[in-house]
Amino acid sequence: MFSTAEKMNGYPYWGQMAFYGGGGYVVRLNKDYLDMVADFEKLEKEGWVDRYTRAVFLEFTTYNPSVNLFAISTLISEFRPSGGVFTSYRFEPCMLLPYMNNALLFQIACEIIYFAFTVFFVVILIKNLVQQKCKYFKQFWNLVDLGICAMSITAIVIYFYRLYEINKLTSYFKETAGNDYMKFQYVGYWSEIFNYIIGILVFFATIKFLKLLRFNRKISLLADTLSNSSKELIHFSIIFQIVFMAFMQFFYLIYGKHLNIFKTFTRSCEAGKSRFVLTLPSIFADRLVMFAK
């Protein structure tokens, strides 16, 4: 029977060839080896994989108790209407049981302190926003504080929502003894978003930390240098982006149909960035040789 994405607690998946909504026909493989082989033979006889099939997903989750780490695995085989199979995979390592360690009390204390500081800074931000109104958004450091508070609140909300979904999975696992279909990919999706939010938060916190070090002589010298050369840096950034984007488009247009790492423009930027950085020293070396001549 066909199961919708809402029923399976799934989310859309972007493959190499198409975009899949998350629903499909589920075959449970939590059986003995001989029973699984019998199920596969039955599916083959009934012709479940035919020329109308577009993708077959194999999903499973493993757990390493020694390091308290889950590995949410997704293997996919995509079929073209004209024939041929394209395979891909996705492994999402994540820690879904954050309180299963020796530093339980210390971790809870740190989380409480972080939550208290977040509430404190949000109250201060609201007071400043009420007093200054639109002038508040004209100062750069106020925008940094706003970004820190926004990312902190978002991280807290996602953390507790993920914890709620994990508790639902673990309780359902206890009820069924692991003998029913459970979608760990949804929890892994929120864990990935949580990591992105933490990365943005660390970025804003690093900028804020530079402000706290403005009384240091070396840091103040760096700040003065950047402020005096801001126009030149902006012009250089524009030229750099033009050259960089042209470099990425070249890889995408030439190798997009042949290599998987250049399949999309985003992948081309990720793969071509290292090649572009490696090419820059040779370019500068040629310029130095030319000047020497």
Side-chain angles (χ1 to χ4, degrees):
M1 300 296 295
F2 180 83
S3 300
T4 61
E6 182 180 359
K7 182 178 180 181
M8 294 192 303
N9 199 17
Y11 64 95
Y13 188 91
W14 192 291
Q16 295 186 14
M17 297 178 50
F19 182 78
Y20 306 97
Y25 300 89
V26 180
V27 179
R28 293 172 175 82
L29 303 178
N30 50 348
K31 303 175 182 179
D32 295 333
Y33 174 75
L34 296 178
D35 294 335
M36 283 193 295
V37 172
D39 289 343
F40 284 132
E41 292 178 351
K42 180 181 178 182
L43 293 174
E44 184 179 3
K45 291 180 181 179
E46 295 178 355
W48 277 95
V49 179
D50 53 12
R51 62 190 183 92
Y52 299 105
T53 304
R54 289 296 170 262
V56 175
F57 290 82
L58 177 61
E59 300 174 351
F60 61 93
T61 303
T62 59
Y63 176 64
N64 190 343
S66 59
V67 294
N68 188 24
L69 193 66
F70 284 83
I72 304 173
S73 309
T74 303
L75 309 179
I76 175 175
S77 299
E78 299 178 81
F79 300 85
R80 279 188 174 182
S82 58
V85 182
F86 292 86
T87 59
S88 59
Y89 57 87
R90 179 179 176 85
F91 298 104
E92 304 174 56
C94 55
M95 184 178 295
L96 300 181
L97 302 176
Y99 301 111
M100 299 292 291
N101 51 44
N102 297 327
L104 174 62
L105 297 178
F106 177 75
Q107 181 178 351
I108 294 177
C110 291
E111 291 175 354
I112 294 174
I113 294 173
Y114 179 80
F115 182 77
F117 270 101
T118 301
V119 174
F120 174 74
F121 283 110
V122 167
V123 172
I124 293 179
L125 187 145
I126 293 175
K127 289 183 178 180
N128 295 332
L129 187 60
V130 172
Q131 293 176 358
Q132 301 179 16
K133 296 182 180 179
C134 295
K135 296 181 180 179
Y136 181 85
F137 300 98
K138 296 182 179 180
Q139 298 183 7
F140 174 75
W141 296 112
N142 291 340
L143 297 178
V144 174
D145 293 337
L146 181 62
I148 291 176
C149 292
M151 292 298 104
S152 298
I153 295 174
T154 305
I156 292 173
V157 172
I158 293 177
Y159 180 83
F160 282 106
Y161 178 73
R162 186 190 64 171
L163 191 62
Y164 169 74
E165 292 293 334
I166 292 171
N167 291 333
K168 285 176 58 178
L169 279 176
T170 52
S171 61
Y172 189 68
F173 185 88
K174 293 179 181 178
E175 293 176 1
T176 61
N179 294 321
D180 202 355
Y181 179 78
M182 287 173 287
K183 188 80 172 181
F184 280 86
Q185 277 74 10
Y186 183 71
V187 178
Y189 169 74
W190 283 108
S191 297
E192 186 176 0
I193 294 180
F194 179 76
N195 293 332
Y196 292 152
I197 297 298
I198 293 298
I200 299 174
L201 180 60
V202 171
F203 171 75
F204 284 124
T206 304
I207 297 177
K208 184 71 174 181
F209 188 71
L210 293 177
K211 180 185 177 182
L212 300 177
L213 294 177
R214 67 185 183 275
F215 298 106
N216 186 280
R217 181 178 299 178
K218 295 181 179 179
I219 298 299
S220 62
L221 180 62
L222 176 62
D224 294 338
T225 303
L226 293 177
S227 61
N228 292 329
S229 60
S230 58
K231 293 183 180 180
E232 289 78 7
L233 289 176
I234 292 175
H235 295 162
F236 173 78
S237 299
I238 294 174
I239 299 301
F240 180 82
Q241 290 297 329
I242 293 174
V243 176
F244 181 77
M245 295 300 293
F247 198 78
M248 295 305 103
Q249 289 177 4
F250 172 78
F251 274 96
Y252 175 65
L253 295 175
I254 299 299
Y255 300 110
K257 297 181 179 180
H258 307 286
L259 297 178
N260 186 32
I261 58 175
F262 301 106
K263 192 71 175 180
T264 62
F265 185 75
T266 304
R267 292 184 180 180
S268 300
C269 292
E270 295 174 354
K273 178 173 64 175
S274 59
R275 291 164 176 80
F276 184 77
V277 172
L278 291 175
T279 306
L280 285 178
S282 62
I283 296 175
F284 291 143
D286 294 339
R287 296 296 182 270
L288 290 175
V289 170
M290 183 180 64
F291 287 133
K293 291 181 179 180

